[in-house]
Amino acid sequence: MALMQPSDKIFVAGHRGMVGSAISRALTARGYGNILTRTRAELDLMDRAAVNAFLAEAKPDHVVLAAAKVGGILANDTYRGDFIYQNLQIQNNVIDGAYRAGVKRFLFLGSSCIYPKFAEQPIREEAILTGPLEPTNEPYAVAKIAGHIMCDSYRRQFGFDAFTVMPSNVYGVGDNFDPQNSHVAAGLMRRFHEAKLARAPQVVAWGTGSPLREMVYCDDLADACAYLLENYEAGGMINAGSSMEYSIREIAETVRDVVGYEGDLVWDSSKPDGTPRKIMDNSKLAATGWTARTELREGLTEMYRWFLGNVAAKAA
Ligand SMILES: NC(=O)c1ccc[n+]([C@@H]2O[C@H](COP(=O)([O-])OP(=O)(O)OC[C@H]3O[C@@H](n4cnc5c(N)ncnc54)[C@H](OP(=O)(O)O)[C@@H]3O)[C@@H](O)[C@H]2O)c1
């Protein structure tokens, strides 16, 4: 019997975020018409009693937890207490509440940054908990590791069908373009866009541009999540990257082209480069029959269109 039916009720927690909104679109595109959402104002996921009451009443068949406190390096390092407390609280409430409400399938979103800092590349799922974490985002990573272990423990003790999907660097429509808090592609996009408007002669990027990063487009990740909800029964965690690897220089140059900035891109090699290479081993995902298809330029083009209509338009 199929793991999901088109009429099933699916609660997507965090549906206004980049990943949650993409997952809602992917589920709708696959024919699921009964998607349940709540804004933070309607349901604060930090509030255990409210989460339990909502889930007990709504009785969703499946839950996707895409709500979390998320940010870049600076935010992770500065708001360490908020990152560990809020993420633990949200996931404890939603995982336990879903189990108590009789939810059939539960998808928890992890992150590639919860793997050890010096994990062997490409990073396999088995690398989890085998070494020290990157210190700047340790509180966030520890919370996410706890969420994964909680899903696994509820599966083993209670037979709750929960599993963890581990995305790599996600980018795309709905991304966070906050100058203090964005990831690489969104940060560069905003800077090139502003430099284009200001006719600035150059944009300076940190480091040498040589580190390699795996980039997954948000709608690809979302399609993988929907596909795994429909097909993946093994539990545990599964990497969901694109296996498309680009140097930071290639990412920056492609963003520059997409934005249409004609000034110079200058690399400040006195600034740190970060980890030389970060890519996940996606063979477990590939073995399920799913692979990513959106190339960087195509994804960035969609993302810039969205940025112009949503972020730049509001700022103007
Ligand atoms: N972006 C990436 O590169 C990446 C990579 C790996 C893993 N992930 C994982 O994917 C998941 C989603 O990430 P994202 O990039 O989509 O983040 P996002 O855009 O910041 O979205 C997170 C969502 O969670 C909601 N939320 C946070 N706290 C809440 C609360 N107390 N009550 C209700 N809603 C709350 C936010 O609501 P508001 O709209 O009200 O703020 C927001 O809509 C996270 O678990 C993250 O770890 C992301």
Side-chain angles (χ1 to χ4, degrees):
M1 188 172 140
L3 294 172
M4 292 169 78
Q5 303 296 329
S7 58
D8 283 355
K9 195 189 277 187
I10 308 169
F11 174 44
V12 179
H15 72 290
R16 282 178 156 181
M18 172 171 60
V19 174
S21 58
I23 291 175
S24 301
R25 288 195 294 278
L27 289 168
T28 305
R30 283 174 179 259
Y32 297 96
N34 199 357
I35 298 186
L36 191 60
T37 59
R38 287 291 181 274
T39 63
R40 190 197 294 245
E42 290 164 343
L43 177 65
D44 182 353
L45 299 171
M46 299 274 291
D47 181 340
R48 179 169 186 231
V51 170
N52 279 339
F54 163 73
L55 290 169
E57 212 242 305
K59 294 203 182 325
D61 296 291
H62 316 289
V63 172
V64 175
L65 179 50
K69 179 154 182 68
V70 178
I73 299 175
L74 187 66
N76 267 277
D77 200 21
T78 311
Y79 305 108
R80 298 174 74 90
D82 290 339
F83 271 82
I84 191 158
Y85 176 62
Q86 291 187 28
N87 283 310
L88 283 173
Q89 187 85 349
I90 291 170
Q91 68 206 35
N92 281 348
N93 290 346
V94 182
I95 297 169
D96 183 70
Y99 160 64
R100 287 177 194 281
V103 164
K104 292 183 209 140
R105 306 214 79 206
F106 189 100
L107 189 158
F108 176 66
L109 277 150
S111 169
S112 59
C113 71
I114 80 178
Y115 285 120
K117 184 173 164 77
F118 301 111
E120 192 185 324
Q121 307 282 329
I123 310 171
R124 301 174 65 219
E125 287 85 353
E126 291 74 17
I128 187 136
L129 289 171
T130 57
L133 300 165
E134 159 61 41
T136 49
N137 61 20
E138 195 177 63
Y140 173 77
V142 166
K144 287 279 178 190
I145 292 169
H148 157 62
I149 300 283
M150 184 157 167
C151 288
D152 231 25
S153 305
Y154 272 47
R155 171 179 287 272
R156 291 213 226 160
Q157 186 179 348
F158 307 124
F160 183 41
D161 188 3
F163 64 101
T164 302
V165 172
M166 304 280 281
S168 49
N169 295 303
V170 191
Y171 72 101
V173 304
D175 215 326
N176 181 352
F177 292 89
D178 183 319
Q180 300 300 320
N181 210 6
S182 52
H183 292 118
V184 58
L188 286 165
M189 188 168 280
R190 183 178 198 123
R191 291 181 57 207
F192 280 124
H193 175 77
E194 287 173 355
K196 181 172 93 169
L197 295 188
R199 297 179 195 277
Q202 61 176 44
V203 166
V204 180
W206 276 30
T208 62
S210 65
L212 299 170
R213 294 290 180 267
E214 180 182 17
M215 302 291 287
V216 61
Y217 186 59
C218 60
D219 286 318
D220 280 2
L221 168 66
D223 189 60
C225 289
Y227 178 84
L228 291 169
L229 277 167
E230 287 175 335
N231 296 290
Y232 180 71
E233 289 186 85
M237 61 162 58
I238 182 162
N239 288 344
S242 61
S243 298
M244 296 180 203
E245 195 177 21
Y246 306 91
S247 69
I248 298 285
R249 181 179 293 269
E250 215 176 336
I251 296 169
E253 288 174 352
T254 312
V255 174
R256 180 189 62 187
D257 290 356
V258 165
V259 169
Y261 172 66
E262 288 175 350
D264 292 331
L265 167 58
V266 178
W267 293 92
D268 178 357
S269 56
S270 70
K271 294 286 194 310
D273 254 346
T275 312
R277 184 177 188 220
K278 202 168 171 203
I279 184 159
M280 296 199 301
D281 180 330
N282 299 300
S283 46
K284 193 168 166 182
L285 178 64
T288 69
W290 190 92
T291 44
R293 53 184 177 74
T294 308
E295 297 282 345
L296 184 65
R297 185 173 294 271
E298 186 189 345
L300 288 173
T301 303
E302 279 306 306
M303 181 174 166
Y304 190 51
R305 196 172 296 149
W306 187 88
F307 172 84
L308 288 175
N310 293 273
V311 183
K314 280 181 194 143

